[in-house]
Amino acid sequence: MIPPELPAAVRALYPFRSNYKRVNGRWMHYLDEGAGEPIVLLHGNPTWSLLYRNFIPPLAERYRVVAPDYVGFGLSEKPADESAYSLRNHTAILTSLLDGLGLRNVTLVMQDWGGPIGLGYALARRSNVRTLVIMNTWAFTDASRFHRSVYPWRLLHAPIFGQLLLKRRNLMVEANLAMGVFHSERISGAVLETYRFPFPDYDSRTGILAFPRSIPLQPGDAAYEVMARISRGLGDLDVPAKIIWGEQDIVFPVELAYRFQAALPQADEPYVIHEARHFLQEDAPEEITEQIMAFPASIS
């Protein structure tokens, strides 16, 4: 894989040193900044490690910060086959990456698809996880009302319509990020262009399409058993857990924060950011990083 050359405007917002590692036969891009106990920052769809650009400098003053781009996202390899993007494969690749980096006593920061992927890793490497930070995500087979709605969500599963919206029109980037529905303000200008950068054409957006199609809506769906196993295993993750939630999220309502609190043995009372929405990393980065670093059971 030939790493892409980042335009000056992208580099200005993303001034970090890129790292690449061959993982389970795929090239994976990740950031590795700072030193000390490791924090792993896990993004969702349609974002990439850029989402954590405002987290990395303050955290890297104290910790080793690892922020991967999942295969199909950011600067990582983008296979053409949609089957490469299953929840099982994403978790296996993340597990191999962190194993290969030799990380120990890991704190996982998880949002959106970072939740199921990161919690899958935590269950596979329980003795290697020190702390969980859970933000606006889910790990349950009963999908949210948003994901069960016919319009727009279920239409994304339609073979032709989904490809038209997500691969041809790049709807996940253009709507989720540009319209201000999923965060407190519209993202525009150089920031939006930087989010678009890794997904310039139809073929580069297969991972974006695969994620919504992987949401289990009923038994028999591709990720249903994997998600069910994660849900059943939450009670085994007996490690300190910090729950941070954007209250205005229309995808994952705040009730899920309290559901995680009930399921995880050492979860704190959720810290709710009242004005934040789904992409709370964009809405309140300073507040969230302060909460992570102040978490008493964290990696001090």
Side-chain angles (χ1 to χ4, degrees):
M1 176 178 175
I2 301 174
E5 183 175 347
L6 301 186
V10 173
R11 180 61 68 191
L13 285 169
Y14 192 75
F16 311 107
R17 183 175 66 87
S18 289
N19 302 275
Y20 285 87
K21 192 173 183 64
R22 187 85 168 165
V23 183
N24 294 12
R26 304 292 186 186
W27 284 106
M28 196 169 191
H29 172 263
Y30 64 98
L31 303 179
D32 194 341
E33 302 279 326
E37 293 277 4
I39 302 180
V40 178
L41 308 178
L42 299 177
H43 66 83
N45 191 25
T47 59
W48 49 295
S49 52
L50 174 73
L51 183 66
Y52 290 102
R53 66 193 181 281
N54 295 315
F55 286 51
I56 293 169
L59 290 176
E61 292 180 4
R62 194 183 303 177
Y63 313 123
R64 180 181 177 182
V65 183
V66 175
D69 294 336
Y70 308 137
V71 168
F73 291 81
L75 307 183
S76 291
E77 183 179 345
K78 297 179 175 64
D81 184 358
E82 190 174 332
S83 67
Y85 301 110
S86 68
L87 175 56
R88 191 187 307 274
N89 283 348
H90 277 302
T91 302
I93 290 172
L94 176 68
T95 302
S96 295
L97 174 70
L98 302 189
D99 287 352
L101 295 177
L103 301 187
R104 300 289 180 267
N105 296 321
V106 173
T107 288
L108 297 170
V109 179
M110 300 166 279
Q111 185 261 342
D112 194 75
W113 275 99
I117 294 170
L119 291 167
Y121 167 82
L123 289 168
R125 296 291 185 269
R126 163 63 190 85
S127 62
N128 203 39
V129 175
R130 183 167 184 176
T131 310
L132 304 173
V133 179
I134 295 173
M135 308 188 300
N136 290 67
T137 184
W138 90 119
F140 312 104
T141 54
D142 50 328
S144 72
R145 182 186 303 175
F146 180 86
H147 290 136
R148 292 190 177 278
S149 64
V150 173
Y151 179 82
W153 200 256
R154 296 295 290 271
L155 291 179
L156 301 182
H157 290 251
I160 296 176
F161 197 70
Q163 291 188 28
L164 172 65
L165 290 180
L166 298 190
K167 296 188 73 174
R168 185 73 63 193
R169 300 297 184 187
N170 202 17
L171 182 73
M172 291 291 282
V173 172
E174 299 305 325
N176 287 8
L177 294 170
M179 293 176 62
V181 174
F182 299 94
H183 49 87
S184 297
E185 297 180 359
R186 291 175 180 266
I187 293 178
S188 60
V191 176
L192 181 58
E193 286 301 318
T194 304
Y195 271 117
R196 287 173 176 149
F197 175 75
F199 311 110
D201 53 34
Y202 185 94
D203 290 336
S204 66
R205 300 167 188 160
T206 303
I208 290 176
L209 174 69
F211 263 148
R213 291 184 170 182
S214 297
I215 295 170
L217 300 176
Q218 58 191 0
D221 285 351
Y224 189 91
E225 289 302 323
V226 177
M227 193 74 81
R229 185 165 59 251
I230 294 169
S231 183
R232 290 193 300 266
L234 293 178
D236 297 327
L237 294 176
D238 193 10
V239 297
K242 180 73 175 178
I243 301 169
I244 303 173
W245 217 265
E247 188 175 28
Q248 302 302 316
D249 188 358
I250 65 171
V251 181
F252 298 124
V254 72
E255 288 80 8
L256 283 174
Y258 296 96
R259 188 171 178 181
F260 273 113
Q261 182 190 12
L264 293 165
Q266 293 192 51
D268 275 7
E269 179 80 12
Y271 180 85
V272 178
I273 304 176
H274 299 294
E275 299 305 318
R277 300 186 184 182
H278 183 67
F279 293 112
L280 66 170
Q281 298 97 321
E282 291 288 347
D283 292 334
E286 296 85 1
E287 188 172 356
I288 296 169
T289 53
E290 287 173 4
Q291 285 295 313
I292 292 171
M293 290 191 287
F295 188 27
S298 187
I299 46 180
S300 57

